[in-house]
Amino acid sequence: MIRGRWGSIVMRVAAWVAIIVASAVAGAAVWTHVPQTSAAETYQAPRTAAGAPDLNGIWQALNTANYDVQAHAARPALALIPAAPRSGTPGLTRATHVELPAPAVRALGAVGGVPAGAGVVEGNEIPYQPWALAKKKENAEHWLERDPEIKCFMPGVPRATYMPYPFQILQSTNTILMAYEFAGATRTIHMNKVGDSPSPTWMGWSRGRWEGDTLVVDVTDFNEDTWFDRAGNFHSDALHVVERYSRVGPDHLMYEITIDDPKVFTRTWKMRMPLYRRLDADARIREYKCVEFVEQLMYGNLGVVDPATGTINK
Amino acid sequence: MPYRRLILAVLATAGAIALAACYGSASQRTPAPASGRTAWGDPDLQGVWRYEGAIPLERPAQLAGRATLTAQEVAARQQLEKEQEEKRLAGSEGAAVGRRSIAESPIRGNEYNSFWQDHGRPRQVSDRTSLIVDPPDGQLPFTADAKKAAQRSTARYGVGPFESYLDPDTGERCLTDGVTGMMWQGPNGGHNRIVQSPGFVTILHEEYRDRRVIPIAASASAAQHGNIRQWFGDSVGHWDGDTLVIDTTNFIDRTNYEWADIWTRASESLHLIERFKRIDSTTLEYTITVADPATFTGPWTAVIPITKLPDDTQIYEYACHEGNYAMPNLLRGGRTDAGKK
């Protein structure tokens, strides 16, 4: 039995050891798991010279939301066709019915497959109005002709954030830029009073403010031409996005999105995902000037000559 | 380029109107520190800038041998600018410079040339006769081949032939008009927003939404280029006192494409050195030295005074490719023409 002064010291040491071990475990949890709200509340973001939380850096999502923001199993391709009828066809009778890659994407093999994902939508339900759900399904069936990403159109918000390309936050005092690699799209986040957008836009009109250490961006004035993902999830020109960017660790942001569009959805809905800092040596936003990459697809058969083949278009 | 201007006109009309409205309103932005420094201590170049001068890039032939104008000539030019401005406001500006006026236009809505050239503010007259200060003759030192390419480009401009999507110029294809003229060219706006953040200077050029994110090195010797070639090259900046110096190499070769202005084209041997020096609260002295043996017999340097627009001026989204219905129409027109032959 430990008693008296020495006993008290031993107890105190034991208590400190317990605290240190507990905090080390908590620290390890931050590093081995994506920090959740509790960690975000304890992490203190470093400050810029002007005293704001510092969000500068090159960030990227590491998930499959750009394929489908909802939970999805792996599948062989983005564009699928039904397999031949099973019954009565010699050699096919014992095969499980599956969908097969559409001819236009078949040559890509495993490169063109879709990895599974748990989804980023809160509750995994997108509350479409009935007509809109039908349109979403139709979009998915016509993905190859309709997805604006294929044509190198500006991806809109929030899709730009979770495409498989990095983006850079360039934080000045009254202005924060979000510079996306894909299609060279850039957003200007106005941190002070700014007039209204003169017209609908692809990337929205962004007004930012700080709520504690969180950057909250109110995005309006969208056109109806962007999608949320490659699964045909869409919105109208009544889209209103509220984004929240919070530093939850030295190399993580938590990105939370609230979507409101009364023309398409029955209620607001949310998405949430961590963003990771690109730590690669000389990490930079490079050019991805994809207009040049899609001209053949979009215009190759329209001119007198097809540049891909050198033949005269009939 | 008229078809391009037409689409862009439709896309940006609202933006330009809003911009014009902005000129009249009071600043709502937090004033820059009196020191002209960013919060982290760099010289502050931030804001929306455009070239509002009336000085041409090359010296006109009738002024050969003269770097400056006389006081009388400057006064005459100021008078001319004033008259042009009045004509612009009256909607008859086109006639004054040899283009169709609104009244003469056979197609309602075909007044875009005048529209695009409208600065909304009077141009600034100077006694200088060319932006080019070196060579001293004020002319672009084209190689013989580049001169031919420039003549060919001028002859094709707006005329074609347009037999595939490779035939329109890089601007008509919504790619870019090049880095070389980015800071002061651009009839469709020519607005550049400079945003600084620690370690970076970003230049957003409204037209084609061209963007340059330029890392700033501690010194000229510390500025190292990467190894990736890009349309806009690989830029590294440093501060030389209060002057921002940007050195750009590693351009891709796109000399085989059509360019509206051959002198802005990219080649692998292109090397740009740009200097941004703030000479007063509303003027940036921009100096660019262009060296490229693929196009020029020697380097040339231009000095361009660029004006800071009111603090609440915005640049707007430029969805050129997204709205490029001119391209399919142009190619269909080309096929129709070919069918008639």
Side-chain angles (χ1 to χ4, degrees):
Chain A
M1 191 174 174
I2 301 163
R3 275 185 268 180
R5 184 163 160 254
W6 285 106
S8 168
I9 287 170
V10 169
M11 291 300 280
R12 276 183 212 164
V13 167
W16 279 111
V17 166
I19 288 167
I20 289 162
V21 168
S23 16
V25 168
V30 167
W31 286 100
T32 51
H33 299 286
V34 169
Q36 298 297 321
T37 312
S38 56
E41 283 162 3
T42 55
Y43 179 76
Q44 181 70 35
R47 305 281 132 175
T48 65
D54 189 348
L55 306 185
N56 279 295
I58 298 179
W59 306 94
Q60 190 166 341
L62 284 174
N63 58 36
T64 61
N66 190 48
Y67 286 102
D68 191 338
V69 293
Q70 291 175 289
H72 54 277
R75 60 183 192 273
L78 281 156
L80 298 169
I81 54 166
R86 303 285 102 185
S87 58
T89 308
L92 294 182
T93 49
R94 278 184 292 168
T96 305
H97 177 84
V98 290
E99 290 189 304
L100 300 173
V105 296
R106 200 170 291 159
L108 288 169
V111 172
V114 177
V120 294
V121 176
E122 188 181 274
N124 198 40
E125 191 206 338
I126 300 179
Y128 280 111
Q129 296 173 18
W131 73 269
L133 184 62
K135 184 175 174 186
K136 184 263 169 178
K137 285 178 180 158
E138 191 190 291
N139 282 345
E141 283 158 19
H142 295 273
W143 168 77
L144 205 47
E145 305 97 77
R146 291 191 188 176
D147 186 349
E149 180 186 356
I150 291 174
K151 298 189 179 77
C152 181
F153 291 168
M154 282 184 273
V157 179
R159 190 178 186 181
T161 318
Y162 50 78
M163 291 184 80
Y165 304 83
F167 72 101
Q168 184 163 6
I169 298 181
L170 296 143
Q171 192 175 341
S172 187
T173 308
N174 295 326
T175 303
I176 299 176
L177 297 182
M178 307 250 172
Y180 302 94
E181 187 161 294
F182 183 80
T186 309
R187 289 166 66 200
T188 302
I189 316 295
H190 302 282
M191 297 302 288
N192 51 7
K193 199 167 156 57
V194 67
D196 293 330
S197 172
S199 63
T201 60
W202 293 77
M203 297 303 291
W205 188 251
S206 297
R207 294 177 167 97
R209 64 180 189 273
W210 295 104
E211 278 184 14
D213 279 5
T214 298
L215 172 65
V216 181
V217 188
D218 196 89
V219 203
T220 57
D221 297 275
F222 289 99
N223 63 27
E224 56 183 17
D225 297 321
T226 65
W227 282 10
F228 293 118
D229 56 22
R230 295 170 178 163
N233 285 307
F234 75 104
H235 59 84
S236 79
D237 58 3
L239 176 66
H240 175 200
V241 177
V242 178
E243 301 170 280
R244 300 175 64 86
Y245 298 82
S246 313
R247 283 284 298 265
V248 289
D251 298 314
H252 299 93
L253 293 175
M254 186 53 70
Y255 180 55
E256 295 164 291
I257 311 120
T258 303
I259 304 286
D260 185 27
D261 184 343
K263 287 190 190 173
V264 174
F265 307 114
T266 58
R267 58 169 168 84
T268 61
W269 53 284
K270 291 183 178 180
M271 294 190 270
R272 185 172 198 266
M273 69 192 73
L275 303 173
Y276 301 83
R277 187 189 295 280
R278 287 288 298 260
L279 296 170
D280 323 44
D282 200 28
R284 296 234 210 134
I285 300 301
R286 311 286 180 181
E287 275 176 12
Y288 192 75
K289 242 172 142 49
C290 52
V291 172
E292 196 185 16
F293 306 163
V294 301
E295 286 178 305
Q296 178 63 35
L297 171 71
M298 293 178 71
Y299 313 125
N301 62 348
L302 297 180
V304 175
V305 182
D306 185 333
T309 59
T311 56
I312 305 296
N313 282 318
K314 292 284 188 296
Chain B
M1 181 163 67
Y3 28 85
R4 177 166 107 215
R5 296 235 171 100
L6 181 59
I7 19 167
L8 301 179
V10 173
L11 291 170
T13 300
I17 290 165
L19 183 68
C22 285
Y23 286 129
S25 61
S27 168
Q28 293 161 329
R29 185 171 297 240
T30 310
S35 60
R37 303 254 150 200
T38 62
W40 54 97
D42 284 342
D44 194 341
L45 305 178
Q46 298 183 99
V48 178
W49 301 85
R50 70 168 290 155
Y51 173 56
E52 299 200 314
I55 314 165
L57 176 64
E58 291 186 284
R59 185 168 303 147
Q62 65 269 27
L63 294 170
R66 297 180 53 198
T68 54
L69 301 171
T70 64
Q72 288 88 343
E73 286 168 326
V74 170
R77 290 198 170 209
Q78 272 162 343
Q79 182 58 29
L80 183 68
E81 285 298 326
K82 197 170 161 239
E83 286 167 15
Q84 302 244 105
E85 181 65 11
E86 281 160 9
K87 283 177 178 157
R88 267 195 285 270
L89 291 172
S92 58
E93 175 263 352
V97 287
R99 292 190 297 264
R100 272 200 294 258
S101 70
I102 290 173
E104 291 166 314
S105 172
I107 307 166
R108 199 70 201 140
N110 192 27
E111 304 84 13
Y112 43 78
N113 273 342
S114 181
F115 174 87
W116 287 117
Q117 301 294 341
D118 186 354
H119 292 219
R121 289 151 48 107
R123 295 198 303 172
Q124 297 161 8
V125 172
S126 148
D127 67 350
R128 293 175 54 197
T129 55
S130 65
L131 293 173
I132 294 178
V133 296
D134 183 55
D137 68 359
Q139 305 299 310
L140 290 163
F142 279 133
T143 62
D145 280 351
K147 197 167 278 180
K148 269 187 227 157
Q151 284 161 356
R152 183 172 163 278
S153 165
T154 305
R156 285 175 53 92
Y157 198 70
V159 178
F162 300 109
E163 297 186 332
S164 82
Y165 60 81
L166 294 168
D167 283 338
D169 69 51
T170 55
E172 290 159 339
R173 291 164 67 185
C174 297
L175 293 167
T176 181
D177 275 342
V179 174
T180 308
M182 193 182 283
M183 284 306 297
W184 82 97
Q185 290 278 303
N188 299 357
H191 292 77
N192 293 285
R193 178 190 277 284
I194 298 179
V195 176
Q196 289 167 252
S197 52
F200 293 92
V201 173
T202 303
I203 302 172
L204 301 177
H205 179 69
E206 185 173 76
E207 203 172 22
Y208 313 113
R209 65 173 189 270
D210 288 339
R211 177 184 72 207
R212 302 170 72 194
V213 179
I214 299 152
I216 305 301
S219 65
S221 57
Q224 292 203 330
H225 290 288
N227 56 2
I228 296 176
R229 292 189 179 279
Q230 306 193 104
W231 276 80
F232 296 166
D234 180 293
S235 294
V236 188
H238 72 272
W239 293 101
D240 176 7
D242 282 357
T243 300
L244 173 66
V245 183
I246 301 175
D247 188 299
T248 309
T249 62
N250 284 349
F251 289 88
I252 50 170
D253 183 359
R254 287 293 182 273
T255 51
N256 280 341
Y257 281 175
E258 303 294 339
W259 293 76
D261 291 304
I262 292 299
W263 58 268
T264 67
R265 72 185 184 182
S267 92
E268 291 197 356
S269 49
L270 177 59
H271 182 194
L272 301 181
I273 297 173
E274 300 159 271
R275 298 177 68 86
F276 298 70
K277 184 181 182 184
R278 193 142 183 193
I279 54 175
D280 62 43
S281 64
T282 57
T283 313
L284 191 63
E285 186 185 79
Y286 174 73
T287 304
I288 183 166
T289 298
V290 181
D292 186 0
T295 306
F296 307 108
T297 57
W300 57 274
T301 298
V303 178
I304 302 111
I306 301 181
T307 303
K308 186 171 189 293
L309 298 180
D311 281 350
D312 52 358
T313 307
Q314 303 300 330
I315 63 170
Y316 294 98
E317 182 173 276
Y318 205 87
C320 179
H321 167 64
E322 290 80 355
N324 193 358
Y325 56 79
M327 176 69 89
N329 287 343
L330 192 62
L331 296 179
R332 283 189 198 107
R335 286 177 78 164
T336 304
D337 284 351
K340 286 178 190 160
K341 282 172 192 162

